[in-house]
Amino acid sequence: ASPVITLFRALDGHERYASTTGASLYDAEGRISGAVTVSRDITLQHQAERERERQAPQLQLQSHLIELAHDAILVRDPKSRVLFWNKGAEDLYGWSVEEARGRITHSLLQTVFPTSLAQVDEQLERQGHWEGELIHTCKDGRVVVVESRMALVRDTQAQLTAILEINRDVTRRRELERQAQAAHVET
């Protein structure tokens, strides 16, 4: 039988929620001889569900806004595997979210670091964020220069849960700067 959810007031005066299920007990002749019921306090689960429902519209709006961004926004797990890959990342790099999810970003994008991956990771761990330029290779083989911003995301116990990375394509800007510098040198 499906559980019955009941709201009640406990002896301390607080409202509580209980989930109750029951079943009949039968004797040897198949007659009902009793019943057993089990009740569980589900107040915390009920409150968490109400909070999720309350936050859902805000989260949907934020998700929609992130999808509208032109920058590549990705979220990596602590081992650098892609957890989230927005439309801007799809447009810049050419891989769909399905192709990117679970892949290690530095391998997928053949990342060239300004120093080394170890030094970037060390600064990220020490300061909680990192900014700089990276060189990435797209699915179609194009090489792009991106301004990258990374930030660590930690849980309430300060454990690393994710790395937020936002990349802006500056390839054309860097090429124009290089051409202007070359023209300046010639004159």
Side-chain angles (χ1 to χ4, degrees):
S2 296
V4 174
I5 307 300
T6 309
L7 170 65
F8 66 95
R9 188 167 306 280
L11 293 176
D12 65 5
H14 291 95
E15 287 186 344
R16 309 294 292 177
Y17 287 87
S19 171
T20 304
T21 55
S24 300
L25 297 175
Y26 298 91
D27 63 16
E29 287 79 41
R31 294 181 304 230
I32 294 177
S33 63
V36 63
T37 61
V38 176
S39 291
R40 290 186 319 118
D41 184 340
I42 60 164
T43 304
L44 293 177
Q45 295 93 317
H46 183 77
Q47 290 169 342
E49 180 61 31
R50 296 291 86 73
E51 183 61 18
R52 279 192 295 277
E53 289 172 3
R54 188 188 67 72
Q55 291 178 354
Q58 182 69 25
L59 292 173
Q60 288 174 336
L61 174 62
Q62 290 172 355
S63 178
H64 179 68
L65 293 173
I66 288 170
E67 284 302 318
L68 293 174
H70 294 290
D71 291 344
I73 301 174
L74 47 136
V75 177
R76 303 182 273 134
D77 72 8
K79 297 192 183 302
S80 289
R81 293 177 299 230
V82 173
L83 299 172
F84 176 82
W85 186 266
N86 79 332
K87 178 91 170 72
E90 285 186 4
D91 293 344
L92 175 59
Y93 298 121
W95 282 280
S96 69
V97 71
E98 293 81 16
E99 293 171 309
R101 187 176 292 123
R103 305 272 304 271
I104 294 177
T105 56
H106 311 314
S107 298
L108 177 68
L109 302 172
Q110 301 172 42
T111 306
V112 177
F113 296 91
T115 55
S116 70
L117 172 58
Q119 287 176 315
V120 169
D121 284 346
E122 189 272 323
Q123 181 180 340
L124 192 56
E125 181 61 35
R126 187 171 20 88
Q127 296 181 350
H129 61 89
W130 180 87
E131 293 183 26
E133 285 191 2
L134 302 172
I135 299 172
H136 286 150
T137 302
C138 301
K139 184 178 181 179
D140 64 7
R142 283 179 304 114
V143 174
V144 294
V145 179
V146 297
E147 287 178 345
S148 184
R149 291 177 180 79
M150 300 178 199
L152 299 182
V153 179
R154 297 189 181 276
D155 64 17
T156 55
Q157 286 80 38
Q159 295 298 309
L160 178 62
T161 58
I163 303 159
L164 171 66
E165 183 173 335
I166 302 173
N167 297 327
R168 173 169 289 161
D169 185 2
V170 295
T171 308
R172 180 75 177 131
R173 183 186 333 158
R174 291 299 174 256
E175 179 58 27
L176 292 173
E177 289 170 357
R178 190 192 62 72
Q179 290 173 5
Q181 181 66 25
H184 179 71
V185 168
E186 285 182 21
T187 60

